Amino acid sequence: MLKIYFDWNCITHAKDKYPYILAIAKECKNRFVFPYSNAHIRDLMVNKESHKTEYEQDLNLLETICGKHLLSYEEGQMKPYFGLPKDFINETGFLFKILQNFDIISPEMYQQVKESFRDTLPKEVYKKIQGAKPENAIQTIEAYIYTQSPGSDFKTLMSTVPNPLRSLMNTEAQFKSVCLGLDLFGFRPEKGNKRFTNVDTDASHMFYAGHCDVFVSADKKLRDKAKAVFSKYNYQTRVIAPAEFTDFIENELRQEYSFDTIFNVIEQYGVPRLEDDGLHYTLLKSPVLGLFNACHKIDENWGYSGDVIAGIYRYCFNNTPYLFYSEIEDYCNLWLKILPSSLKGEFQKEYYASIISRDFEKTLNASFTLGSVESGFMIKLCADPLTPVPCPMMYVIATPEFISNHKLASISNAATYRP
């Protein structure tokens, strides 16, 4: 499923400015994942003592929108956990409260630091950075850095700790140092009264959003900074404003659950490259059936020839290197909803029970087939033997005649084709 990450403004203003975010989150909770992170908890803890009513409202909103989908960066990995925000707060909230209320420097001092730093920049350079497009911002800064220190780049400049200690900075810390650098160099600078802690929290939101498929932010400056960092360091995350969210969701629902999309993707993707380091593919912008974000076209090299259109659909862990257990459950429940009653029992026994067993060996036995190659159309549901965790995989095979004759718009039509 698409992982859609909201910044704090989207969460807290879902009760007034952006009610459609709340409505969509409720309606589509089984079609998309809306994760939360410690950055949301840090923002939430600001009002726990001083504005208890607002704190409770925001906590309820966070739980309603994000449910139990928690992301946490630990030991160099992005890990998915399943737990409500209030439970997470009960265990660790006091630490985040201390962190959020602690400023390394005051807003006034931070503003002075920025002004002093910018005074060292040539005016034409500072003006060029301010006017840069997000996708060119870091390159513009690095062009200047290189004139002052050949061989250096933006990331190494901002990792100012001594070399022996730099390796101890995890990926999140390095990412946040880059975000801080954008503010120091004057790209979409924050207001003078913004606390340094809030700048750090915003960077955390960007870091976690970078490990999701979509980042929805109500802050134009934050969106542009996210685009700058994502573009430079090859994050695939799309960045949108709340005003774009409804149209985005409607389009995704049309794309993800259409048979037209399934076959179009196979044809548009082309034959995958086989190289020494494995099978290459391109991430799909819209996951098929809400889950599969990669497709390998099957041709004569795989044993199929002629006009048969065939593909293997998989979940790729590259951009979003994790999978919530609930995503597999929702995928299986989708099939249960569309299969006729006569097939539900077989599906539950042969596929559902195995794929959600949490037993990798048992998972590999999961198998369920609709149609047949001889009939001109077949879908086979199975398990992916190559993924780091148990994960569904799907084979799709059809003749052009079948696709042309049936013009399947919804996957529910497939249930009628059975050998």
Side-chain angles (χ1 to χ4, degrees):
M1 293 181 178
L2 281 183
K3 281 81 168 174
I4 301 174
Y5 189 99
F6 295 110
D7 75 356
W8 184 244
N9 279 328
C10 289
I11 299 290
T12 189
H13 288 298
K15 59 180 176 288
D16 42 47
K17 291 183 182 179
Y18 315 119
Y20 49 87
I21 287 179
L22 182 60
I24 291 172
K26 287 180 178 179
E27 180 70 22
C28 300
K29 62 182 180 181
N30 296 323
R31 294 289 177 266
F32 305 97
V33 175
F34 306 105
Y36 71 96
S37 71
N38 65 57
H40 290 105
I41 303 302
R42 288 175 62 183
D43 280 322
L44 177 66
M45 296 301 287
V46 171
N47 290 323
K48 185 171 184 180
E49 302 300 332
S50 58
H51 299 82
K52 291 186 177 181
T53 300
E54 185 176 341
Y55 167 82
E56 291 295 337
Q57 289 178 340
D58 287 344
L59 176 59
N60 289 333
L61 282 170
L62 184 62
E63 293 189 349
T64 301
I65 293 171
C66 300
K68 296 183 177 181
H69 297 106
L70 167 65
L71 289 181
S72 181
Y73 188 74
E74 301 173 7
E75 301 173 346
Q77 291 184 317
M78 188 62 70
K79 296 184 177 181
Y81 289 103
F82 206 60
L84 289 171
K86 64 182 177 184
D87 296 328
F88 184 61
I89 290 171
N90 289 337
E91 292 186 13
T92 61
F94 71 97
L95 293 174
F96 292 110
K97 179 182 176 183
I98 293 173
L99 181 62
Q100 194 65 8
N101 290 326
F102 175 75
D103 269 323
I104 298 176
I105 58 177
S106 67
E108 294 77 18
M109 186 176 295
Y110 178 54
Q111 183 63 19
Q112 290 176 7
V113 169
K114 291 195 292 184
E115 291 175 357
S116 298
F117 180 81
R118 290 167 192 167
D119 286 343
T120 67
L121 299 175
K123 290 184 178 179
E124 64 276 11
V125 171
Y126 182 58
K127 185 176 181 180
K128 192 174 183 179
I129 293 171
Q130 283 189 308
K133 294 181 179 179
E135 58 270 23
N136 299 324
I138 294 180
Q139 290 90 329
T140 302
I141 294 172
E142 286 186 328
Y144 169 71
I145 292 174
Y146 191 78
T147 65
Q148 305 300 304
S149 178
S152 296
D153 61 20
F154 190 47
K155 183 181 287 187
T156 56
L157 177 67
M158 295 313 301
S159 299
T160 54
V161 297
N163 283 330
L165 298 178
R166 188 172 297 158
S167 61
L168 299 178
M169 291 181 66
N170 65 23
T171 303
E172 181 176 6
Q174 294 176 22
F175 184 99
K176 290 161 75 171
S177 72
V178 169
C179 298
L180 174 63
L182 288 173
D183 195 41
L184 287 174
F185 273 92
F187 179 72
R188 310 299 188 264
E190 300 294 345
K191 295 179 180 178
N193 61 348
K194 188 160 185 174
R195 297 171 60 214
F196 180 82
T197 301
N198 292 338
V199 175
D200 181 75
T201 305
D202 285 348
S204 286
H205 280 304
M206 289 168 54
F207 175 73
Y208 282 98
H211 291 81
C212 295
D213 299 290
V214 183
F215 181 31
V216 187
S217 174
D219 184 334
K220 175 66 164 60
K221 291 182 178 180
L222 189 60
R223 290 199 302 273
D224 280 356
K225 287 178 180 176
K227 290 176 182 178
V229 178
F230 295 166
S231 174
K232 171 63 178 178
Y233 299 110
N234 298 318
Y235 288 83
Q236 301 299 311
T237 308
R238 284 171 280 181
V239 182
I240 64 175
E244 303 171 86
F245 185 59
T246 299
D247 288 343
F248 172 81
I249 290 294
E250 290 178 351
N251 182 64
E252 281 301 312
L253 290 173
R254 284 194 298 268
Q255 292 289 327
E256 293 184 22
Y257 300 97
S258 165
F259 253 118
D260 289 339
T261 297
I262 290 178
F263 294 114
N264 288 341
V265 164
I266 294 174
E267 286 300 281
Q268 292 172 4
Y269 178 78
V271 179
R273 305 194 318 271
L274 282 171
E275 298 184 4
D276 292 340
D277 59 344
L279 194 62
H280 289 236
Y281 47 84
T282 300
L283 282 176
L284 309 179
K285 286 189 175 182
S286 298
V288 170
L289 302 187
L291 180 66
F292 303 111
N293 58 8
C295 174
H296 307 296
K297 181 178 180 179
I298 302 175
D299 61 5
E300 60 275 6
N301 295 318
W302 297 70
Y304 292 96
S305 60
D307 293 332
V308 173
I309 297 172
I312 301 174
Y313 282 92
R314 306 174 65 208
Y315 181 83
C316 170
F317 286 78
N318 283 356
N319 191 57
T320 50
Y322 56 90
L323 191 68
F324 285 98
Y325 182 76
S326 61
E327 294 181 72
I328 300 177
E329 286 185 312
D330 289 334
Y331 168 74
C332 290
N333 287 332
L334 171 65
W335 279 104
L336 276 179
K337 288 181 179 179
I338 61 181
L339 287 172
S341 299
S342 59
L343 298 180
K344 292 183 188 293
E346 181 185 349
F347 173 77
Q348 288 179 308
K349 179 181 178 181
E350 302 297 331
Y351 190 79
Y352 200 154
S354 296
I355 202 71
I356 66 168
S357 66
R358 299 178 188 264
D359 181 325
F360 199 84
E361 292 300 321
K362 188 175 181 179
T363 298
L364 295 179
N365 294 323
S367 180
F368 182 80
T369 303
L370 290 170
S372 66
V373 175
E374 292 75 19
S375 68
F377 172 75
M378 184 185 82
I379 287 182
K380 181 178 180 180
L381 310 181
C382 53
D384 193 329
L386 302 179
T387 51
V389 297
C391 185
M393 186 167 73
M394 180 175 72
Y395 290 88
V396 177
I397 301 171
T399 61
E401 292 78 14
F402 181 92
I403 297 173
S404 176
N405 291 338
H406 296 284
K407 296 290 183 182
L408 298 178
S410 169
I411 192 165
S412 60
N413 298 89
T416 61
Y417 298 97
R418 185 75 172 161

